[in-house]
Amino acid sequence: MSNLSGSNDTSDRVRADGPRRGAPTFVLVHGAGSNSYGWSPVLQELGARGHRAVAVDLPGHGLGAYFPLSYQTPQDPERLRTEPSPIAAVTMEDFAAHVVGVVRAVHRNGPVILVGQSLGGVTVNAVANQVPELIAHLVYASAFCPTRHASVAQLMATPEASTSALFRLTAVPTPPELGVNRVNWRSGDPDFFAAAKEALGSDLPDAEVRALLNTLEPDESAAIGAADARGLPDRWGRVPRTFLRFTEDRSIPPALQDLMIREADGTTPDNPFRVRSLAAPHIGPRDVAVWGDELEQVAGMCR
């Protein structure tokens, strides 16, 4: 995906001054091991409803992703444990800088609604800490939102996270100095497949789960989950926010979602979450119209 933080050319100015000037634009941020493609059904739904939306590829993802040679067929399991990955050098600051650039670009056209799913929530926090004045609304789609707990790692160590299916999703045992969290989504182990299905979408047919796994990327920077990603009350805390609470999520259990909501609301009691509970697994509602309805409601508040 091209970087949208570029020029101020004539075409940009014409677009900004056109008849849709002032309508909100959604900026969609993916989670761990994913990419902008994961938002494709939502992009299509929003576009069909007449909304502007941009899905980002975070640094080290999408066309910039790294697929270890040992991950290819035939796989080399021993080498997969130790093969270095350039994504180890990617930081939360890199994620935030990229999305801030996108937000600055699309803000020329009107209000920005920043949406994060899963691990994408920490990037949403970081961006809102930097440019709260450019964001009309934050949406956390069963996403991490650290406030009292500093990081994803701290949140996942709470009792509320103890039932997470992520603990049963076996990662490739890479040494800590490699700096990556690596998952072999191409594993043929039936136990791994069962764990992945439980973590991502236990209600999906097996064929859909396999299709989903083939869109995922093996490496994520270990630095992201360990980074201090707290929303700052005087920055992030100024922006109105919605939490899409997925009641069937087995990766970020409802108890953990509720903990994050409580802690965020306690941090900014004058600006609490607007909470919407949806009967959906970690990857979100199967009916894309539900996504459209929920995001459209947010857009209606930002005009």
Side-chain angles (χ1 to χ4, degrees), residues 7-238:
S7 69
N8 291 314
D9 63 17
T10 303
S11 63
D12 287 334
R13 291 195 296 271
V14 170
R15 184 167 59 252
D17 292 337
R20 299 191 62 206
R21 171 68 179 169
T25 302
F26 295 94
V27 176
L28 310 175
V29 182
H30 62 78
S34 190
N35 46 60
S36 61
Y37 179 78
W39 285 111
S40 292
V42 178
L43 286 173
Q44 292 177 27
E45 179 70 14
L46 291 173
R49 294 176 182 227
H51 297 287
R52 286 190 298 247
V54 175
V56 303
D57 281 317
L58 293 171
H61 293 273
L63 293 179
Y66 180 74
F67 290 84
L69 289 176
S70 52
Y71 185 69
Q72 310 304 321
T73 303
Q75 290 192 331
D76 183 343
E78 290 301 319
R79 186 179 178 190
L80 191 59
R81 295 187 179 99
T82 58
E83 186 173 341
S85 173
I87 203 172
V90 176
T91 66
M92 177 62 67
E93 289 74 19
D94 296 324
F95 278 11
H98 180 75
V99 179
V100 165
V102 176
V103 168
R104 289 190 187 280
V106 301
H107 184 262
R108 293 174 297 186
N109 297 322
V112 177
I113 299 169
L114 184 59
V115 184
Q117 186 174 17
S118 190
L119 188 64
V122 297
T123 300
V124 168
N125 274 20
V127 173
N129 283 341
Q130 292 189 30
V131 289
E133 69 281 1
L134 300 184
I135 305 169
H137 206 100
L138 304 172
V139 179
Y140 294 78
S142 195
F144 286 103
C145 181
T147 50
R148 302 289 175 84
H149 290 82
S151 66
V152 170
Q154 288 188 14
L155 285 166
M156 290 301 291
T158 63
E160 289 81 359
S162 62
T163 63
S164 173
L166 294 176
F167 296 127
R168 296 183 288 281
L169 188 64
T170 306
V172 177
T174 57
E177 58 269 21
L178 207 62
V180 297
N181 297 322
R182 179 169 288 164
V183 179
N184 184 3
W185 301 112
R186 295 176 179 168
S187 171
D189 181 354
D191 290 338
F192 174 86
F193 180 82
K197 179 173 179 174
E198 180 184 9
L200 300 175
S202 58
D203 64 333
L204 297 179
D206 286 359
E208 289 187 27
V209 175
R210 291 191 187 95
L212 171 62
L213 297 185
N214 276 285
T215 70
L216 299 180
E217 301 164 3
D219 290 353
E220 188 62 72
S221 171
I224 306 304
D228 188 334
R230 284 174 286 190
L232 302 177
D234 60 337
R235 306 286 294 171
W236 159 89
R238 291 158 40 187

